[in-house]
Amino acid sequence: MEETRKSIQIHSSMLVLLLACISCSYLTLSFADTVTKQEAKQLRNEVTEMFYHAFNGYMDNAFPLDELKPLSCSGEDTLGGYALTLIDSLDTLALLGDRERFVASVEWIGKNLRFDMINKTVSLFETTIRVLGGLISAHQIASDYATGMRVPSYDNQLLNLAEDLARRLLPAFDTPTGIPFGSVNLLHGVDKDESKITSTAGGGTLTLEFGVLSRLTNDPIFEQVTKNAVLALWARRSKLNLVGAHINVFTGEWTQKDAGIGTSIDSFYEYLLKAYLLFGDEEYLYIFQEAYSAAMHYLYHDPWYVEVNMDSAAIVWPLFNSLQAFWPGLQVLAGDINPAIRTHAAFLSVWRRYGFTPEGFNLASLTVQHGQKSYPLRPELIESTYWLYKATRDPRYLDAGRDMLASLQYGARCPCGYCHISDVEHHKQEDHMESFFLAETVKYLWLLFDLAAGPDNIVENGPYKYVFSTEGHLLPATPQISLAREHCLYYGAYCRSGDLRQTYFVSEADKDKHESNDSRIYGSWTKATYSSETSEPSASSGLVKGFCPGLNHGQKFGLLYMHSNDEHRDHETTQPEEPTIVQSHSVMLLPAQNSDRSVPNSGNDHNDSQTSGESDVTS
């Protein structure tokens, strides 16, 4: 243990030195020629062919099993045994404009899928983001003439399935803290021996799918339980506004206190901002602002992110893991684009070094982390590439997309689909293809090139703005879902009068913009606006929408902070001294392996996305 501690300290010291090295040697970069509009169309068509190679491979060799084994051209049940890959692919078919296959798939699922016949224990998180999200997204597309994909025979079959599935997942939330179990049996509820430990992402990445379902069914229970889980996690944050990786859902005690933006936590941050964008609930925005500010202060070592102890902020793991790659895309949505550009360039340098991003890359040794050498066709870096191109229209993101497409075509393509890469250093293929390859990886690549070619899809040209779920599912901000005048539909900003009689307060949202609306939300997403008129009376409730005057933002929202058992109860106890974090605008990029190409630096550090030579730092 002592040797491990010393090793971590040494690695941490090396990391700080590397990131603080402003005067280190500059790297020259090598770029592909800029992608033309015509080439973007060709690349988009190549991605379309990529989708159908994998989709047809699944339908011909694996359907109705969950997922394809693309090397052996067979199938396997991996989640619940309910045609997972088909459900996960529905909105991609719609995005591609494939009306024939979309209609056929919706009709088959409506006629053949039943959850009351499935006696399996499933992951709450994966079932929510893949199956529930896939059904809800496809329902909204299939039921709406405005999408151009309305299915004539459709009569809410997917919505009914989604509601049935969600009700079977609800027992997972029956815990003392409100933070759900990680797994639940679709017939019998939570198994008696189910683990009481769950991840922060697992408990805090359910709000979009369940919230949309509440608004489609007019049943508040789904939105209530998922928002309650988010508030319960946030209430147990550290004094530094950091959350850990794993928590006991009965006691609320953190069982793993490593705070980061990657594995086990990533989409917790994502859904805070996206729930605000989709629902207009400013409570989520406030929590996101607090959580994001803490992450940038304690986790960000420009341009990388590390994992720290949530209480002390001491570095515990100088590691880039592939799930972190979603972060620049989230920063685009939040309007914080400059650090997103630098971080994306650093992450992309890992991809270009190996042809893929390994699950883990050690920032101290600058080598692939032992035991984390695989690339399971993850979409996160491609997702961020799409968002950065959408925000900047910088052609280097098209170059990056072309490189990533080439890597997938030459390294991952196999007889019936696309294979996991079990070792990025040797490009060894593994006989497995996750459903998210068709739901996300291909989708974001296609959207990237379609945007450059002159977009022709429901996301860019359709009647609604869309929020992408963490599984890449399209959730439209329709009037039914995104109510502009609504502050918090079920929980949140309420005031209770002293005698429990009705009390009315004027909304202070506009008066408090300096406090609550200082996040810069990118693009055409606008903050919810609220009437300054007095709330209308309600005969049935002692709770009133609006803000209580004279309270700070946290008090307005009733956000809790629960001290852990090892903290002093005295709220006046001096907080531990914050560590000094060396920040710079240097970008540490990694040299591509077996590369001896060298082009003079153009002087524009926003184009530093590929390296050559042996140096490790550039500005």
Side-chain angles (χ1 to χ4, degrees), residues 276 280-283 285 484-488 493 505-518 527-533 545-549 551 553 556-557:
Y276 166 70
D281 182 345
E282 209 172 74
E283 190 169 8
L285 176 60
R485 287 175 57 86
E486 177 179 84
H487 173 70
C488 184
F505 295 100
V506 177
S507 169
E508 294 185 21
D510 293 332
K511 300 177 184 178
D512 205 27
K513 285 182 179 179
H514 68 282
E515 182 180 16
S516 63
N517 285 345
D518 56 358
K527 301 173 183 63
T529 56
Y530 311 104
S531 172
S532 60
E533 299 174 358
K545 295 180 181 179
F547 293 120
C548 303
L551 301 180
H553 205 144
K556 289 173 185 177
F557 289 124

mmCIF file of all heavy atoms in Angstrom, residues 276 280-283 285 484-488 493 505-518 527-533 545-549 551 553 556-557:
data_model
loop_
_atom_site.group_PDB
_atom_site.id
_atom_site.type_symbol
_atom_site.label_atom_id
_atom_site.label_comp_id
_atom_site.label_asym_id
_atom_site.label_seq_id
_atom_site.Cartn_x
_atom_site.Cartn_y
_atom_site.Cartn_z
ATOM 1 N N TYR A 276 -32.121 20.865 -17.782
ATOM 2 C CA TYR A 276 -32.515 22.276 -17.835
ATOM 3 C C TYR A 276 -32.889 22.676 -19.264
ATOM 4 O O TYR A 276 -33.913 23.338 -19.493
ATOM 5 C CB TYR A 276 -31.383 23.163 -17.328
ATOM 6 C CG TYR A 276 -31.594 24.623 -17.685
ATOM 7 C CD1 TYR A 276 -32.604 25.362 -17.068
ATOM 8 C CD2 TYR A 276 -30.822 25.241 -18.660
ATOM 9 C CE1 TYR A 276 -32.824 26.684 -17.408
ATOM 10 C CE2 TYR A 276 -31.038 26.569 -19.006
ATOM 11 C CZ TYR A 276 -32.037 27.285 -18.380
ATOM 12 O OH TYR A 276 -32.263 28.581 -18.726
ATOM 13 N N GLY A 280 -36.581 23.225 -18.955
ATOM 14 C CA GLY A 280 -36.656 24.591 -18.463
ATOM 15 C C GLY A 280 -36.673 24.693 -16.949
ATOM 16 O O GLY A 280 -37.078 25.715 -16.402
ATOM 17 N N ASP A 281 -36.208 23.659 -16.289
ATOM 18 C CA ASP A 281 -36.204 23.636 -14.826
ATOM 19 C C ASP A 281 -34.892 24.223 -14.335
ATOM 20 O O ASP A 281 -33.838 23.600 -14.409
ATOM 21 C CB ASP A 281 -36.366 22.192 -14.347
ATOM 22 C CG ASP A 281 -36.419 22.069 -12.829
ATOM 23 O OD1 ASP A 281 -36.050 23.049 -12.155
ATOM 24 O OD2 ASP A 281 -36.825 21.013 -12.343
ATOM 25 N N GLU A 282 -34.961 25.439 -13.798
ATOM 26 C CA GLU A 282 -33.759 26.171 -13.433
ATOM 27 C C GLU A 282 -33.019 25.551 -12.246
ATOM 28 O O GLU A 282 -31.850 25.851 -12.002
ATOM 29 C CB GLU A 282 -34.109 27.629 -13.140
ATOM 30 C CG GLU A 282 -32.977 28.585 -13.422
ATOM 31 C CD GLU A 282 -33.435 30.029 -13.310
ATOM 32 O OE1 GLU A 282 -33.629 30.499 -12.178
ATOM 33 O OE2 GLU A 282 -33.608 30.661 -14.358
ATOM 34 N N GLU A 283 -33.687 24.696 -11.513
ATOM 35 C CA GLU A 283 -33.029 24.022 -10.405
ATOM 36 C C GLU A 283 -31.868 23.170 -10.914
ATOM 37 O O GLU A 283 -30.795 23.131 -10.304
ATOM 38 C CB GLU A 283 -34.040 23.168 -9.658
ATOM 39 C CG GLU A 283 -33.525 22.611 -8.336
ATOM 40 C CD GLU A 283 -34.644 22.005 -7.515
ATOM 41 O OE1 GLU A 283 -35.778 21.878 -8.031
ATOM 42 O OE2 GLU A 283 -34.389 21.655 -6.358
ATOM 43 N N LEU A 285 -30.195 23.761 -13.610
ATOM 44 C CA LEU A 285 -29.155 24.680 -14.056
ATOM 45 C C LEU A 285 -28.297 25.138 -12.881
ATOM 46 O O LEU A 285 -27.068 25.208 -12.984
ATOM 47 C CB LEU A 285 -29.774 25.891 -14.757
ATOM 48 C CG LEU A 285 -28.800 26.997 -15.188
ATOM 49 C CD1 LEU A 285 -27.766 26.454 -16.169
ATOM 50 C CD2 LEU A 285 -29.546 28.174 -15.787
ATOM 51 N N ALA A 484 -42.294 26.566 -21.502
ATOM 52 C CA ALA A 484 -41.480 27.748 -21.220
ATOM 53 C C ALA A 484 -41.842 28.431 -19.914
ATOM 54 O O ALA A 484 -40.994 28.964 -19.219
ATOM 55 C CB ALA A 484 -41.599 28.747 -22.372
ATOM 56 N N ARG A 485 -43.119 28.416 -19.542
ATOM 57 C CA ARG A 485 -43.533 29.140 -18.340
ATOM 58 C C ARG A 485 -43.341 28.322 -17.076
ATOM 59 O O ARG A 485 -43.514 28.810 -15.968
ATOM 60 C CB ARG A 485 -45.011 29.534 -18.452
ATOM 61 C CG ARG A 485 -45.269 30.660 -19.444
ATOM 62 C CD ARG A 485 -46.773 30.899 -19.579
ATOM 63 N NE ARG A 485 -47.386 31.198 -18.292
ATOM 64 C CZ ARG A 485 -47.449 32.410 -17.762
ATOM 65 N NH1 ARG A 485 -46.911 33.438 -18.399
ATOM 66 N NH2 ARG A 485 -48.035 32.611 -16.596
ATOM 67 N N GLU A 486 -43.001 27.070 -17.252
ATOM 68 C CA GLU A 486 -42.897 26.171 -16.102
ATOM 69 C C GLU A 486 -41.557 26.358 -15.415
ATOM 70 O O GLU A 486 -40.519 26.378 -16.062
ATOM 71 C CB GLU A 486 -43.037 24.741 -16.606
ATOM 72 C CG GLU A 486 -42.879 23.698 -15.524
ATOM 73 C CD GLU A 486 -43.058 22.326 -16.135
ATOM 74 O OE1 GLU A 486 -42.072 21.823 -16.668
ATOM 75 O OE2 GLU A 486 -44.170 21.787 -16.084
ATOM 76 N N HIS A 487 -41.581 26.505 -14.098
ATOM 77 C CA HIS A 487 -40.297 26.569 -13.380
ATOM 78 C C HIS A 487 -39.877 25.181 -12.928
ATOM 79 O O HIS A 487 -38.805 24.707 -13.228
ATOM 80 C CB HIS A 487 -40.371 27.488 -12.176
ATOM 81 C CG HIS A 487 -39.121 27.426 -11.365
ATOM 82 N ND1 HIS A 487 -37.934 27.948 -11.830
ATOM 83 C CD2 HIS A 487 -38.843 26.835 -10.189
ATOM 84 C CE1 HIS A 487 -36.986 27.706 -10.947
ATOM 85 N NE2 HIS A 487 -37.519 27.032 -9.942
ATOM 86 N N CYS A 488 -40.714 24.526 -12.183
ATOM 87 C CA CYS A 488 -40.379 23.188 -11.710
ATOM 88 C C CYS A 488 -41.704 22.485 -11.474
ATOM 89 O O CYS A 488 -42.446 22.832 -10.571
ATOM 90 C CB CYS A 488 -39.551 23.252 -10.432
ATOM 91 S SG CYS A 488 -39.015 21.642 -9.878
ATOM 92 N N ALA A 493 -38.793 24.620 -6.495
ATOM 93 C CA ALA A 493 -38.875 25.989 -5.979
ATOM 94 C C ALA A 493 -40.271 26.303 -5.473
ATOM 95 O O ALA A 493 -41.067 26.949 -6.122
ATOM 96 C CB ALA A 493 -38.486 26.975 -7.066
ATOM 97 N N PHE A 505 -46.080 34.486 -4.131
ATOM 98 C CA PHE A 505 -44.877 35.284 -4.275
ATOM 99 C C PHE A 505 -44.633 35.560 -5.752
ATOM 100 O O PHE A 505 -44.937 34.744 -6.609
ATOM 101 C CB PHE A 505 -43.665 34.555 -3.699
ATOM 102 C CG PHE A 505 -43.750 34.340 -2.219
ATOM 103 C CD1 PHE A 505 -44.134 33.113 -1.716
ATOM 104 C CD2 PHE A 505 -43.468 35.364 -1.341
ATOM 105 C CE1 PHE A 505 -44.227 32.903 -0.356
ATOM 106 C CE2 PHE A 505 -43.554 35.164 0.034
ATOM 107 C CZ PHE A 505 -43.935 33.925 0.522
ATOM 108 N N VAL A 506 -44.087 36.719 -6.014
ATOM 109 C CA VAL A 506 -43.728 37.083 -7.376
ATOM 110 C C VAL A 506 -42.421 36.388 -7.743
ATOM 111 O O VAL A 506 -41.481 36.367 -6.956
ATOM 112 C CB VAL A 506 -43.581 38.606 -7.508
ATOM 113 C CG1 VAL A 506 -43.127 38.986 -8.906
ATOM 114 C CG2 VAL A 506 -44.907 39.276 -7.164
ATOM 115 N N SER A 507 -42.372 35.839 -8.935
ATOM 116 C CA SER A 507 -41.143 35.194 -9.385
ATOM 117 C C SER A 507 -40.005 36.194 -9.456
ATOM 118 O O SER A 507 -40.175 37.312 -9.935
ATOM 119 C CB SER A 507 -41.351 34.580 -10.773
ATOM 120 O OG SER A 507 -40.125 34.179 -11.322
ATOM 121 N N GLU A 508 -38.827 35.809 -8.971
ATOM 122 C CA GLU A 508 -37.664 36.680 -8.996
ATOM 123 C C GLU A 508 -36.643 36.235 -10.029
ATOM 124 O O GLU A 508 -35.485 36.625 -9.971
ATOM 125 C CB GLU A 508 -37.006 36.711 -7.611
ATOM 126 C CG GLU A 508 -37.876 37.349 -6.544
ATOM 127 C CD GLU A 508 -37.129 37.472 -5.231
ATOM 128 O OE1 GLU A 508 -35.885 37.441 -5.250
ATOM 129 O OE2 GLU A 508 -37.774 37.593 -4.197
ATOM 130 N N ALA A 509 -37.070 35.404 -10.969
ATOM 131 C CA ALA A 509 -36.097 34.861 -11.921
ATOM 132 C C ALA A 509 -35.367 35.963 -12.664
ATOM 133 O O ALA A 509 -34.148 35.938 -12.809
ATOM 134 C CB ALA A 509 -36.805 33.936 -12.916
ATOM 135 N N ASP A 510 -36.120 36.950 -13.134
ATOM 136 C CA ASP A 510 -35.486 38.007 -13.903
ATOM 137 C C ASP A 510 -34.625 38.912 -13.021
ATOM 138 O O ASP A 510 -33.624 39.461 -13.463
ATOM 139 C CB ASP A 510 -36.549 38.846 -14.615
ATOM 140 C CG ASP A 510 -37.260 38.052 -15.688
ATOM 141 O OD1 ASP A 510 -36.621 37.118 -16.218
ATOM 142 O OD2 ASP A 510 -38.423 38.351 -15.973
ATOM 143 N N LYS A 511 -35.040 39.079 -11.738
ATOM 144 C CA LYS A 511 -34.280 39.928 -10.837
ATOM 145 C C LYS A 511 -32.966 39.290 -10.424
ATOM 146 O O LYS A 511 -32.070 39.956 -9.931
ATOM 147 C CB LYS A 511 -35.107 40.229 -9.591
ATOM 148 C CG LYS A 511 -36.427 40.934 -9.861
ATOM 149 C CD LYS A 511 -37.190 41.114 -8.553
ATOM 150 C CE LYS A 511 -38.557 41.738 -8.803
ATOM 151 N NZ LYS A 511 -39.314 41.855 -7.537
ATOM 152 N N ASP A 512 -32.868 37.989 -10.600
ATOM 153 C CA ASP A 512 -31.740 37.246 -10.032
ATOM 154 C C ASP A 512 -30.831 36.666 -11.101
ATOM 155 O O ASP A 512 -30.141 35.698 -10.885
ATOM 156 C CB ASP A 512 -32.281 36.110 -9.162
ATOM 157 C CG ASP A 512 -31.286 35.681 -8.092
ATOM 158 O OD1 ASP A 512 -30.472 36.525 -7.684
ATOM 159 O OD2 ASP A 512 -31.336 34.519 -7.692
ATOM 160 N N LYS A 513 -30.818 37.295 -12.273
ATOM 161 C CA LYS A 513 -30.053 36.728 -13.371
ATOM 162 C C LYS A 513 -28.569 36.664 -13.061
ATOM 163 O O LYS A 513 -27.875 35.746 -13.494
ATOM 164 C CB LYS A 513 -30.282 37.543 -14.646
ATOM 165 C CG LYS A 513 -31.639 37.293 -15.283
ATOM 166 C CD LYS A 513 -31.793 38.081 -16.566
ATOM 167 C CE LYS A 513 -33.137 37.819 -17.206
ATOM 168 N NZ LYS A 513 -33.338 38.590 -18.436
ATOM 169 N N HIS A 514 -28.074 37.645 -12.306
ATOM 170 C CA HIS A 514 -26.655 37.640 -11.991
ATOM 171 C C HIS A 514 -26.294 36.434 -11.146
ATOM 172 O O HIS A 514 -25.144 35.989 -11.135
ATOM 173 C CB HIS A 514 -26.289 38.907 -11.242
ATOM 174 C CG HIS A 514 -26.874 38.987 -9.865
ATOM 175 N ND1 HIS A 514 -28.187 39.331 -9.645
ATOM 176 C CD2 HIS A 514 -26.325 38.752 -8.642
ATOM 177 C CE1 HIS A 514 -28.432 39.329 -8.334
ATOM 178 N NE2 HIS A 514 -27.314 38.969 -7.704
ATOM 179 N N GLU A 515 -27.279 35.844 -10.477
ATOM 180 C CA GLU A 515 -27.001 34.735 -9.573
ATOM 181 C C GLU A 515 -27.333 33.389 -10.209
ATOM 182 O O GLU A 515 -26.606 32.428 -10.056
ATOM 183 C CB GLU A 515 -27.841 34.910 -8.303
ATOM 184 C CG GLU A 515 -27.590 33.836 -7.257
ATOM 185 C CD GLU A 515 -28.429 34.060 -6.030
ATOM 186 O OE1 GLU A 515 -29.405 34.834 -6.106
ATOM 187 O OE2 GLU A 515 -28.119 33.468 -5.000
ATOM 188 N N SER A 516 -28.435 33.338 -10.953
ATOM 189 C CA SER A 516 -28.918 32.041 -11.407
ATOM 190 C C SER A 516 -28.712 31.790 -12.884
ATOM 191 O O SER A 516 -28.765 30.662 -13.324
ATOM 192 C CB SER A 516 -30.415 31.910 -11.104
ATOM 193 O OG SER A 516 -31.140 32.886 -11.822
ATOM 194 N N ASN A 517 -28.480 32.831 -13.660
ATOM 195 C CA ASN A 517 -28.435 32.650 -15.105
ATOM 196 C C ASN A 517 -27.093 33.063 -15.696
ATOM 197 O O ASN A 517 -27.029 33.585 -16.795
ATOM 198 C CB ASN A 517 -29.549 33.479 -15.786
ATOM 199 C CG ASN A 517 -30.901 32.839 -15.600
ATOM 200 O OD1 ASN A 517 -30.982 31.678 -15.232
ATOM 201 N ND2 ASN A 517 -31.948 33.591 -15.847
ATOM 202 N N ASP A 518 -26.005 32.799 -14.949
ATOM 203 C CA ASP A 518 -24.720 33.240 -15.461
ATOM 204 C C ASP A 518 -24.036 32.199 -16.329
ATOM 205 O O ASP A 518 -22.960 32.419 -16.829
ATOM 206 C CB ASP A 518 -23.793 33.669 -14.323
ATOM 207 C CG ASP A 518 -23.602 32.557 -13.290
ATOM 208 O OD1 ASP A 518 -24.212 31.496 -13.463
ATOM 209 O OD2 ASP A 518 -22.853 32.797 -12.331
ATOM 210 N N LYS A 527 -32.914 30.546 -22.102
ATOM 211 C CA LYS A 527 -33.321 30.243 -20.734
ATOM 212 C C LYS A 527 -34.827 30.424 -20.605
ATOM 213 O O LYS A 527 -35.425 31.253 -21.269
ATOM 214 C CB LYS A 527 -32.586 31.161 -19.758
ATOM 215 C CG LYS A 527 -31.073 31.027 -19.859
ATOM 216 C CD LYS A 527 -30.387 32.066 -19.021
ATOM 217 C CE LYS A 527 -28.883 31.959 -19.188
ATOM 218 N NZ LYS A 527 -28.452 32.233 -20.565
ATOM 219 N N ALA A 528 -35.410 29.646 -19.727
ATOM 220 C CA ALA A 528 -36.848 29.747 -19.508
ATOM 221 C C ALA A 528 -37.202 31.131 -18.975
ATOM 222 O O ALA A 528 -36.462 31.722 -18.212
ATOM 223 C CB ALA A 528 -37.297 28.688 -18.518
ATOM 224 N N THR A 529 -38.306 31.639 -19.434
ATOM 225 C CA THR A 529 -38.771 32.941 -18.942
ATOM 226 C C THR A 529 -40.062 32.740 -18.170
ATOM 227 O O THR A 529 -40.878 31.879 -18.506
ATOM 228 C CB THR A 529 -39.023 33.902 -20.112
ATOM 229 O OG1 THR A 529 -39.955 33.309 -21.025
ATOM 230 C CG2 THR A 529 -37.733 34.215 -20.853
ATOM 231 N N TYR A 530 -40.233 33.550 -17.167
ATOM 232 C CA TYR A 530 -41.379 33.364 -16.302
ATOM 233 C C TYR A 530 -42.127 34.670 -16.133
ATOM 234 O O TYR A 530 -41.550 35.743 -16.107
ATOM 235 C CB TYR A 530 -40.927 32.837 -14.924
ATOM 236 C CG TYR A 530 -40.003 31.690 -15.060
ATOM 237 C CD1 TYR A 530 -38.631 31.853 -14.845
ATOM 238 C CD2 TYR A 530 -40.471 30.463 -15.475
ATOM 239 C CE1 TYR A 530 -37.757 30.805 -15.001
ATOM 240 C CE2 TYR A 530 -39.594 29.414 -15.635
ATOM 241 C CZ TYR A 530 -38.242 29.576 -15.399
ATOM 242 O OH TYR A 530 -37.387 28.548 -15.569
ATOM 243 N N SER A 531 -43.406 34.547 -16.007
ATOM 244 C CA SER A 531 -44.247 35.725 -15.845
ATOM 245 C C SER A 531 -43.961 36.408 -14.515
ATOM 246 O O SER A 531 -43.728 35.765 -13.503
ATOM 247 C CB SER A 531 -45.724 35.311 -15.911
ATOM 248 O OG SER A 531 -46.531 36.405 -15.581
ATOM 249 N N SER A 532 -43.965 37.722 -14.518
ATOM 250 C CA SER A 532 -43.784 38.471 -13.271
ATOM 251 C C SER A 532 -45.103 38.679 -12.552
ATOM 252 O O SER A 532 -45.163 39.310 -11.517
ATOM 253 C CB SER A 532 -43.135 39.833 -13.572
ATOM 254 O OG SER A 532 -43.963 40.576 -14.439
ATOM 255 N N GLU A 533 -46.172 38.142 -13.134
ATOM 256 C CA GLU A 533 -47.475 38.298 -12.504
ATOM 257 C C GLU A 533 -47.586 37.378 -11.295
ATOM 258 O O GLU A 533 -46.952 36.340 -11.207
ATOM 259 C CB GLU A 533 -48.582 37.972 -13.513
ATOM 260 C CG GLU A 533 -48.562 38.887 -14.736
ATOM 261 C CD GLU A 533 -49.582 38.437 -15.761
ATOM 262 O OE1 GLU A 533 -50.247 37.423 -15.512
ATOM 263 O OE2 GLU A 533 -49.706 39.111 -16.789
ATOM 264 N N LYS A 545 -45.762 27.751 -6.658
ATOM 265 C CA LYS A 545 -44.627 27.934 -7.549
ATOM 266 C C LYS A 545 -44.082 29.346 -7.402
ATOM 267 O O LYS A 545 -44.823 30.279 -7.165
ATOM 268 C CB LYS A 545 -45.035 27.684 -8.997
ATOM 269 C CG LYS A 545 -45.448 26.243 -9.266
ATOM 270 C CD LYS A 545 -45.838 26.050 -10.706
ATOM 271 C CE LYS A 545 -46.272 24.629 -10.959
ATOM 272 N NZ LYS A 545 -46.677 24.399 -12.350
ATOM 273 N N GLY A 546 -42.779 29.494 -7.600
ATOM 274 C CA GLY A 546 -42.158 30.794 -7.494
ATOM 275 C C GLY A 546 -41.037 30.778 -6.484
ATOM 276 O O GLY A 546 -40.729 29.752 -5.893
ATOM 277 N N PHE A 547 -40.390 31.908 -6.291
ATOM 278 C CA PHE A 547 -39.273 32.013 -5.375
ATOM 279 C C PHE A 547 -39.699 32.686 -4.069
ATOM 280 O O PHE A 547 -40.524 33.590 -4.060
ATOM 281 C CB PHE A 547 -38.148 32.841 -6.003
ATOM 282 C CG PHE A 547 -37.508 32.183 -7.171
ATOM 283 C CD1 PHE A 547 -37.517 32.787 -8.419
ATOM 284 C CD2 PHE A 547 -36.868 30.958 -7.027
ATOM 285 C CE1 PHE A 547 -36.908 32.187 -9.495
ATOM 286 C CE2 PHE A 547 -36.261 30.353 -8.104
ATOM 287 C CZ PHE A 547 -36.276 30.964 -9.337
ATOM 288 N N CYS A 548 -39.103 32.253 -2.969
ATOM 289 C CA CYS A 548 -39.326 32.931 -1.697
ATOM 290 C C CYS A 548 -38.407 34.136 -1.619
ATOM 291 O O CYS A 548 -37.191 33.985 -1.743
ATOM 292 C CB CYS A 548 -39.030 31.987 -0.536
ATOM 293 S SG CYS A 548 -39.992 30.469 -0.564
ATOM 294 N N PRO A 549 -38.923 35.334 -1.402
ATOM 295 C CA PRO A 549 -38.078 36.536 -1.380
ATOM 296 C C PRO A 549 -37.059 36.480 -0.257
ATOM 297 O O PRO A 549 -37.291 35.927 0.805
ATOM 298 C CB PRO A 549 -39.078 37.666 -1.157
ATOM 299 C CG PRO A 549 -40.404 37.105 -1.537
ATOM 300 C CD PRO A 549 -40.340 35.652 -1.227
ATOM 301 N N LEU A 551 -34.165 35.007 0.034
ATOM 302 C CA LEU A 551 -33.353 33.817 0.240
ATOM 303 C C LEU A 551 -32.265 33.728 -0.818
ATOM 304 O O LEU A 551 -32.417 34.250 -1.929
ATOM 305 C CB LEU A 551 -34.219 32.558 0.176
ATOM 306 C CG LEU A 551 -35.366 32.463 1.176
ATOM 307 C CD1 LEU A 551 -36.118 31.159 0.977
ATOM 308 C CD2 LEU A 551 -34.862 32.567 2.604
ATOM 309 N N HIS A 553 -29.840 31.514 -3.499
ATOM 310 C CA HIS A 553 -30.314 30.613 -4.547
ATOM 311 C C HIS A 553 -30.503 29.198 -4.021
ATOM 312 O O HIS A 553 -31.470 28.513 -4.352
ATOM 313 C CB HIS A 553 -29.312 30.620 -5.711
ATOM 314 C CG HIS A 553 -29.928 30.247 -7.014
ATOM 315 N ND1 HIS A 553 -29.560 30.821 -8.206
ATOM 316 C CD2 HIS A 553 -30.910 29.373 -7.329
ATOM 317 C CE1 HIS A 553 -30.270 30.307 -9.189
ATOM 318 N NE2 HIS A 553 -31.090 29.423 -8.679
ATOM 319 N N LYS A 556 -33.643 29.077 -2.025
ATOM 320 C CA LYS A 556 -34.838 29.163 -2.874
ATOM 321 C C LYS A 556 -35.240 27.789 -3.386
ATOM 322 O O LYS A 556 -36.403 27.443 -3.481
ATOM 323 C CB LYS A 556 -34.567 30.094 -4.058
ATOM 324 C CG LYS A 556 -34.472 31.562 -3.703
ATOM 325 C CD LYS A 556 -34.024 32.356 -4.919
ATOM 326 C CE LYS A 556 -33.798 33.811 -4.558
ATOM 327 N NZ LYS A 556 -33.287 34.571 -5.707
ATOM 328 N N PHE A 557 -34.226 27.007 -3.740
ATOM 329 C CA PHE A 557 -34.509 25.704 -4.300
ATOM 330 C C PHE A 557 -34.602 24.614 -3.238
ATOM 331 O O PHE A 557 -34.893 23.472 -3.551
ATOM 332 C CB PHE A 557 -33.432 25.322 -5.318
ATOM 333 C CG PHE A 557 -33.512 26.126 -6.578
ATOM 334 C CD1 PHE A 557 -32.430 26.856 -7.036
ATOM 335 C CD2 PHE A 557 -34.677 26.149 -7.323
ATOM 336 C CE1 PHE A 557 -32.507 27.589 -8.201
ATOM 337 C CE2 PHE A 557 -34.768 26.881 -8.487
ATOM 338 C CZ PHE A 557 -33.679 27.605 -8.933
#
